[in-house]
Amino acid sequence: MGTLTAFIPIILMIVLFYFLLIRPQQKRQKEVTNMQNSLAKGDKIITIGGLHGVVEAIEDGTVVLKAGNTKLTFDRNAIRTVLEKGNTAPAVAPAEPVEETAKETEEK
């Protein structure tokens, strides 16, 4: 019984470290991985080096960024933050054809 009570503080410290350090770090790493995997063309991003740019192209493990008039290739893991998701919808929605009724065609 005495040896079990000696190990209780060590076990509590391990549990405390898990919930205060290990688990939150795993959660942050999962969020970063999801963000990096969801990159799309047109996203405004910041790299870990502080470069602001727009995603121009995405390949397997690399991302081509446009910063000003320059295009740079970075590793996908170098993306720290997505500031703004790119515009995936067309700027102007295509117009749908308007059907004329029989009455309108007779008036013309």
Side-chain angles (χ1 to χ4, degrees), residues 14-57:
I14 291 172
V15 170
L16 187 68
F17 275 123
Y18 175 76
F19 283 107
L20 292 179
L21 298 175
I22 298 170
R23 192 166 177 243
Q25 178 61 32
Q26 288 175 340
K27 186 177 179 182
R28 279 192 298 271
Q29 184 62 37
K30 187 181 286 187
E31 290 172 358
V32 168
T33 303
N34 288 339
M35 179 269 304
Q36 290 172 346
N37 289 334
S38 68
L39 286 174
K41 185 176 178 179
D43 290 353
K44 293 181 181 178
I45 57 97
I46 301 176
T47 65
I48 57 175
L51 178 82
H52 291 244
V54 177
V55 176
E56 191 73 20

Side-chain angles (χ1 to χ4, degrees), residues 69-94:
N69 295 329
T70 308
K71 291 184 182 179
L72 304 166
T73 303
F74 282 90
D75 191 42
R76 188 182 287 240
N77 294 332
I79 307 301
R80 180 181 71 193
T81 308
V82 175
L83 295 175
E84 184 178 315
K85 293 301 278 181
N87 189 5
T88 55
V92 177

Side-chain angles (χ1 to χ4, degrees), residues 1-12:
M1 185 69 172
T3 58
L4 182 61
T5 58
F7 285 114
I8 289 177
I10 295 172
I11 293 171
L12 288 175

